[in-house]
Amino acid sequence: MADPHGFMTVTERELPPRRPVPVRIMDFKEVYERRDQGVLTRQAGRCMDCGVPFCHQGCPLGNLIPEWNDLVRRGEGRAAIERLHATNNFPEFTGRLCPAPCESACVLGINQPAVTIKQVEVSIIDDAVANGWVEPEPPTRLTGKTVAIVGSGPAGLAAAQQLTRAGHTVAVYERDDRIGGLLRYGIPDFKMEKHHLDRRVEQMRAEGTRFRTGVEIGVDIDWEELRQRYDAVVVATGATLPREPEVPGRDLDGVHVAMDYLVQSNRAVAGDAVTEQITASGRHVVVIGGGDTGSDCIGTAHRQGALSVTNLAIGRRPGEGRPDHQPWPVVPTVFEVSSSHEEGGERRFLASTVEFLDDGEGRVRALRVAETEYVGDRRVPKAGTEHEIPADLVLIAMGFTGPERDVLEQQLGAHFTARGALERDERYETSQPGVFVAGDAGRGQSLIVWAIAEGRSAAACVDEHLMGETQLPSPVRPTDVGMHV
């Protein structure tokens, strides 16, 4: 049982300090300083034994949050990591990268600052790693069934680990040169250093998962051939097609989608030689898009030595507090200041890009921007408000529209939804028998915690498809909506 007085005696919400801005922008190491154990114990003790823990519903994985909060308060780290791993394969990823919808649903959050669930979570896994409690869990028997996982992002890795531990022979195919997908090349190291990912991949190798890098399904191996080789296939390729602004000048030199920029930066940070790298060094940078990807571009640009960074968001600036139409326990839209925003630059809201302007030699020199006007449910540039913003590097971070579909349609005969995601039924199976889909490829652009949850659920469906029954947990269905959205 949790401390019945903890939330009354410790009312302040404390987070670990971030490294000073002038220091941290000199490197790509994680922004947070070492977590103080005393602070973590006190914060975990604020979990109020509320009886009906809405944080369970707020978390797509159904993490047993009150249980491991109390174990941290009691100093029982090994038991805490066992509870955490019962629902989450990769808490070191979610603890660093997830926006924590569980905290929005925290009962304490009704009238006090919510429990620091995310920070307690990452402390549990970091403590477990330091103490050698994270070990391979190979299966006790093999089923003789084979599964191919296409894509090695969080959904693919979660599905692979669950199916390997169930006794199936699993091969993960990744077209890049390293395993990790978005975790490897889309997330900057200042948010998650890659040794966390490398350690998990080594654990999975020791458990028996096989990894095939540099292999693009649809090019190096036909999708139908893959189906013939394996008893089941899981598509976990993510939603990689970027959303683009339909404005003049998009083809100018210096205008790039965010992922092209971030992938090159992550490769350079990893020590790779990147020819003709897109860099913010000595440039006036404009980032279009106010989400996490835009924030990642801002932090990267600061570290590369940008002369200025301007962030444009088409919508209104959110309020500081929970709006009335988004009551507890739903996830509210509120104004947030990420670590990248702390580091400098200007944020502009109600900014609609009208045109990318040419310097006369085929390179971008500025953006023509107008104030956003709401016309019904549409957002349009307001006439007469146009002005220029100097820019010689523009990064488009407007989100993603879905997976790359041409080859999947041609070779697999896959069907797609109106929103561009792979069509699937309530068991994660596509229109092709034995072919399943998990994560952003089937859900659309979403959170890392949703990707892991879907990977685990799809694994359970694959296991049942192969064996007739399953004991693997299935935290979410493809149709789950509500407080998670």
Side-chain angles (χ1 to χ4, degrees):
M1 177 178 176
D3 180 356
H5 302 290
F7 69 98
M8 294 185 286
T9 57
V10 182
T11 59
E12 182 182 0
R13 174 182 165 96
E14 295 179 83
L15 294 171
R18 293 168 175 166
R19 293 192 293 143
V21 170
V23 175
R24 71 184 192 228
I25 64 172
M26 300 299 291
D27 59 44
F28 278 82
K29 297 185 181 301
E30 291 180 15
V31 301
Y32 283 103
E33 294 182 346
R34 183 177 178 85
R35 299 165 181 84
D36 180 86
Q37 189 59 47
V39 171
L40 287 164
T41 300
R42 290 196 302 273
Q43 291 298 305
R46 295 182 68 234
C47 190
M48 59 189 294
D49 190 29
C50 54
V52 182
F54 276 73
C55 56
H56 283 194
Q57 175 67 15
C59 175
L61 284 163
N63 279 338
L64 307 175
I65 295 164
E67 294 185 29
W68 43 255
N69 270 331
D70 189 48
L71 290 166
V72 169
R73 180 183 71 87
R74 296 173 182 272
E76 299 180 27
R78 185 148 201 167
I81 190 58
E82 290 173 358
R83 291 290 200 287
L84 185 48
H85 272 153
T87 57
N88 187 351
N89 298 69
F90 314 121
E92 63 271 47
F93 304 164
T94 53
R96 287 173 167 83
L97 305 175
C98 179
C102 54
E103 294 185 10
S104 297
C106 174
V107 174
L108 185 59
I110 295 175
N111 64 348
Q112 284 191 35
V115 174
T116 59
I117 298 170
K118 179 177 173 179
Q119 292 300 329
V120 175
E121 176 183 8
V122 77
S123 75
I124 293 171
I125 179 60
D126 286 353
D127 185 49
V129 169
N131 285 283
W133 298 334
V134 181
E135 298 177 322
E137 300 178 25
T140 56
R141 63 177 181 85
L142 294 177
T143 64
K145 301 292 186 179
T146 59
V147 183
I149 311 285
V150 184
S152 66
L157 291 179
Q161 186 165 64
Q162 293 294 97
L163 289 166
T164 296
R165 290 176 174 179
H168 306 303
T169 299
V170 178
V172 178
Y173 288 88
E174 172 55 60
R175 64 183 177 183
D176 280 326
D177 58 339
R178 296 183 179 95
I179 292 296
L182 181 71
L183 294 168
R184 173 73 63 183
Y185 288 128
I187 303 296
D189 280 42
F190 57 80
K191 289 179 67 174
M192 187 186 78
E193 294 179 36
K194 300 306 178 280
H195 62 82
H196 302 292
L197 175 58
D198 294 336
R199 184 165 50 236
R200 278 297 178 182
V201 171
E202 287 309 308
Q203 180 199 38
M204 293 177 65
R205 279 200 177 96
E207 291 172 348
T209 302
R210 302 172 184 182
F211 294 100
R212 306 284 186 263
T213 57
V215 180
E216 183 171 1
I217 305 302
V219 177
D220 300 303
I221 300 175
D222 187 278
W223 277 98
E224 185 58 37
E225 181 184 350
L226 193 73
R227 288 185 66 191
Q228 297 302 319
R229 287 190 189 183
Y230 291 88
D231 297 310
V233 174
V234 179
V235 182
T237 54
T240 56
L241 292 178
R243 182 174 287 108
E244 293 265 10
E246 297 181 1
V247 299
R250 168 60 185 90
D251 58 346
L252 290 175
D253 188 19
V255 181
H256 304 275
V257 294
M259 274 302 146
D260 289 348
Y261 172 69
L262 292 174
V263 167
Q264 288 189 356
S265 175
N266 281 320
R267 287 188 179 278
V269 171
D272 294 350
V274 180
T275 58
E276 299 184 0
Q277 180 181 353
I278 304 165
T279 178
S281 177
R283 298 189 181 279
H284 296 286
V285 180
V286 173
V287 178
I288 302 176
D292 287 341
T293 303
S295 174
D296 293 345
C297 290
I298 293 168
T300 301
H302 289 316
R303 284 158 179 77
Q304 291 181 344
L307 291 179
S308 68
V309 181
T310 305
N311 185 207
L312 305 182
I314 194 172
R316 298 185 180 96
R317 182 188 187 277
E320 301 285 347
R322 182 187 288 273
D324 292 340
H325 69 282
Q326 294 176 328
W328 176 89
V330 301
V331 179
T333 302
V334 297
F335 181 69
E336 296 181 345
V337 179
S338 72
S339 64
S340 296
H341 295 138
E342 286 180 342
E343 293 163 3
E346 180 184 3
R347 300 175 74 178
R348 297 190 186 184
F349 294 88
L350 290 175
S352 293
T353 302
V354 177
E355 184 180 4
F356 302 111
L357 300 177
D358 195 333
D359 67 353
E361 297 182 359
R363 183 170 182 84
V364 67
R365 67 167 179 84
L367 277 70
R368 180 170 289 124
V369 177
E371 181 183 336
T372 303
E373 181 178 23
Y374 284 76
V375 179
D377 60 353
R378 296 187 305 124
R379 297 177 295 190
V380 300
K382 185 177 181 180
T385 64
E386 294 86 355
H387 59 282
E388 292 186 13
I389 298 177
D392 41 19
L393 175 61
V394 179
L395 302 172
I396 300 169
M398 298 171 55
F400 304 88
T401 61
E404 300 165 26
R405 59 189 294 170
D406 290 348
V407 173
L408 285 166
E409 286 178 324
Q410 294 165 8
Q411 296 185 7
L412 197 58
H415 298 164
F416 287 79
T417 68
R419 298 182 63 184
L422 269 166
E423 194 174 274
R424 58 190 183 177
D425 61 19
E426 70 281 357
R427 301 204 55 75
Y428 292 86
E429 196 167 17
T430 69
S431 57
Q432 304 302 314
V435 180
F436 299 78
V437 59
D440 289 4
R443 182 179 182 80
Q445 180 186 348
S446 190
L447 308 177
I448 182 175
V449 67
W450 268 109
I452 295 173
E454 289 214 351
R456 288 170 64 88
S457 294
C461 294
V462 171
D463 188 39
E464 185 175 13
H465 169 79
L466 295 175
M467 306 302 293
E469 60 181 4
T470 185
Q471 294 182 342
L472 293 176
S474 182
V476 294
R477 303 184 310 276
T479 55
D480 275 351
V481 293
M483 288 189 294
H484 304 313
V485 176

